[in-house]
């Protein structure tokens, strides 16, 4: 299929596909006239790339998943390098969650203090 068809089937733009190609993630064949040709496997690769980008992976993180698919695996997450990236990303997300929990706790404390101070002030001046 040509780049326009792949873009339409993958729900992306031709510009995005060229960007993925620049970064070595998508590998078209070239016709004698220079047109890019993609086989069905590239559609799966593009879906994998878009799926991983949607959950916060960077292009460098995606490389092992694409390599895993290109090695003939049915999924990009089954290879050891992909598993290592998943573990690292999960640890990163857990760190962010811990940080967010700390922020939430501080905000809850500040809100509780603000409400308490307001109630005390209202009692003094009879709001």
């Amino acid at each position: 299929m040509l780049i326009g068809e792949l873009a339409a089937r993958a729900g992306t733009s031709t510009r995005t596909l060229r960007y993925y190609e620049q970064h070595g993630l998508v590998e078209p064949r070239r016709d004698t006239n220079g047109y890019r040709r993609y086989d069905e496997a590239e559609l799966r690769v593009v879906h994998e790339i878009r799926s991983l980008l949607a959950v916060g992976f960077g292009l460098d993180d995606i490389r092992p998943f694409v390599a895993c698919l290109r090695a003939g695996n049915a999924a990009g997450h089954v290879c050891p390098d992909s598993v290592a990236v998943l573990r690292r990303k999960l640890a990163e997300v857990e760190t962010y969650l811990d940080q967010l929990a700390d922020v939430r706790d501080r905000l809850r404390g500040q809100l509780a203090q603000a409400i308490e101070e307001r109630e005390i002030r209202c009692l003094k001046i009879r709001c």
Side-chain angles (χ1 to χ4, degrees):
M1 72 188 96
L2 294 173
I3 192 168
E5 183 182 350
L6 178 61
R9 290 181 62 191
T12 191
S13 68
T14 57
R15 183 177 179 175
T16 298
L17 293 176
R18 285 188 210 95
Y19 180 75
Y20 295 162
E21 181 184 347
Q22 271 183 319
H23 289 276
L25 297 172
V26 174
E27 298 174 353
R29 293 183 323 275
R30 293 286 184 147
D31 286 345
T32 54
N33 61 6
Y35 285 13
R36 292 170 173 86
R37 288 268 176 199
Y38 301 90
D39 57 30
E40 214 47 47
E42 290 305 300
L43 180 60
R44 175 71 183 108
V45 168
V46 173
H47 281 275
E48 184 82 2
I49 293 167
R50 291 178 50 81
S51 172
L52 292 166
L53 286 171
V55 295
F57 285 84
L59 292 179
D60 287 336
D61 291 335
I62 292 171
R63 289 182 198 293
F65 295 87
V66 171
C68 191
L69 286 174
R70 292 202 190 290
N73 295 289
H77 64 272
V78 299
C79 296
D81 290 344
S82 302
V83 171
V85 171
L86 287 170
R87 282 191 175 124
R88 184 180 47 74
K89 191 66 169 176
L90 180 59
E92 211 176 277
V93 168
E94 288 174 345
T95 298
Y96 292 146
L97 288 172
D98 291 342
Q99 291 170 350
L100 285 172
D102 290 343
V103 169
R104 181 193 58 212
D105 292 344
R106 279 186 275 147
L107 289 171
R108 281 183 177 160
Q110 288 176 341
L111 179 59
Q113 185 179 6
I115 291 169
E116 184 180 326
E117 288 174 10
R118 185 178 190 291
E119 288 173 356
I120 291 170
R121 208 172 39 246
C122 280
L123 287 175
K124 288 181 180 177
I125 60 171
R126 298 178 195 227
C127 292

